[in-house]
Amino acid sequence: MDDQRDDPPPPKSDASLLRRIKAGEDDAATELYRRYAARLINLAAAKTSPDVKQRVDPEDIVQSVFRTFFRRASLGEYEVPDGDELWKLFLVIGLNKIRAVAGYHKAAKRDVRHTAGGEAAVSADAVTPDDMAFRTLQLTIDELLAPLPETHREIIRLRTDGYEVAEISAQVGRAKRSVERILQEFRQKLQGLINDSS
């Protein structure tokens, strides 16, 4: 009698699934969706305010997260080292979407606080448009930083802290041209993400 068992194969790594998504394999996208959809729905349900939930279902936010992710992944804009998970990236994209949806539904005539009744209006946070814009920009930057190598993240953080390119070059031990190239690529990606978020 054969004693071998049909053990299920080990789960594929996020890195291998991402490579397959870039190659256009739909089953890899489905597997990644199944891996993270429930966690993202829980995140959206927990972080979306009750008044905004009256207009937007958390699952709609999750669908938007995956649309953004799959579009950018197919363009090769995300990388994940072997052994790492994509959850941090999904978390940042999810929080970005949640904030953007809240900002949209609390803007001017659409303001859900004016249409949801007095109780929602009292409990809603008083966030100025400038605060909202800054938070959205910060989340967008965090989303772009998440998949980058640590050296690239450090270069970008130093630049946003006000360091000059020459100082950054000396601090991270990279050529000045290399630092400039990394910063330029990041600026281009940031501009593309800001233009695409509307």
Side-chain angles (χ1 to χ4, degrees), residues 49 51 106 111-114 118-127:
S49 64
D51 47 336
K106 290 180 179 177
D111 195 337
V112 70
R113 294 169 294 186
H114 297 306
E119 193 173 311
V122 171
S123 65
D125 294 331
V127 179

Side-chain angles (χ1 to χ4, degrees), residues 47-64:
K47 296 293 185 182
T48 305
S49 64
D51 47 336
V52 172
K53 279 185 199 172
Q54 293 176 7
R55 293 186 180 180
V56 180
D57 190 279
E59 290 191 22
D60 293 333
I61 295 172
V62 172
Q63 293 299 323
S64 179

Side-chain angles (χ1 to χ4, degrees), residues 9-189:
K12 295 180 174 58
S13 72
D14 284 3
S16 69
L17 290 173
L18 186 56
R19 284 192 292 271
R20 289 172 54 205
I21 289 167
K22 289 177 188 177
E25 296 183 33
D26 290 340
D27 61 322
T30 301
E31 191 168 340
L32 204 58
Y33 178 85
R34 288 183 182 145
R35 186 171 291 181
Y36 289 110
R39 287 167 78 180
L40 282 167
I41 288 170
N42 290 338
L43 173 76
K47 296 293 185 182
T48 305
S49 64
D51 47 336
V52 172
K53 279 185 199 172
Q54 293 176 7
R55 293 186 180 180
V56 180
D57 190 279
E59 290 191 22
D60 293 333
I61 295 172
V62 172
Q63 293 299 323
S64 179
V65 168
F66 279 106
R67 276 194 303 273
T68 295
F69 173 79
F70 289 133
R71 182 177 64 251
R72 295 191 173 280
S74 68
L75 296 172
E77 293 188 18
Y78 297 133
E79 290 183 21
V80 56
D82 284 318
D84 281 1
E85 288 190 334
L86 284 164
W87 172 244
K88 288 181 184 176
L89 177 60
F90 280 122
L91 178 65
V92 171
I93 297 172
L95 290 172
N96 197 358
K97 296 286 185 184
I98 291 163
R99 294 270 166 58
V101 165
Y104 176 83
H105 286 285
K106 290 180 179 177
K109 294 179 181 178
R110 290 185 301 270
D111 195 337
V112 70
R113 294 169 294 186
H114 297 306
T115 60
E119 193 173 311
V122 171
S123 65
D125 294 331
V127 179
T128 68
D130 285 345
D131 288 341
M132 194 64 197
F134 178 77
R135 290 180 191 178
T136 301
L137 177 61
Q138 188 59 56
L139 287 168
T140 303
I141 290 171
D142 291 344
E143 178 182 337
L144 280 177
L145 285 175
L148 294 179
E150 178 55 38
T151 306
H152 290 214
R153 292 197 299 264
E154 185 179 358
I155 286 169
I156 292 157
R157 282 192 211 104
L158 289 169
R159 189 67 178 122
T160 57
D161 286 344
Y163 287 87
E164 296 297 326
V165 171
E167 295 172 305
I168 297 169
S169 173
Q171 193 161 333
V172 300
R174 299 282 293 261
K176 189 176 171 185
R177 290 185 88 152
S178 178
V179 170
E180 289 171 340
R181 178 184 51 78
I182 289 165
L183 291 171
Q184 179 62 26
E185 287 173 0
F186 182 77
R187 279 191 291 268
Q188 289 171 350
K189 285 186 178 182

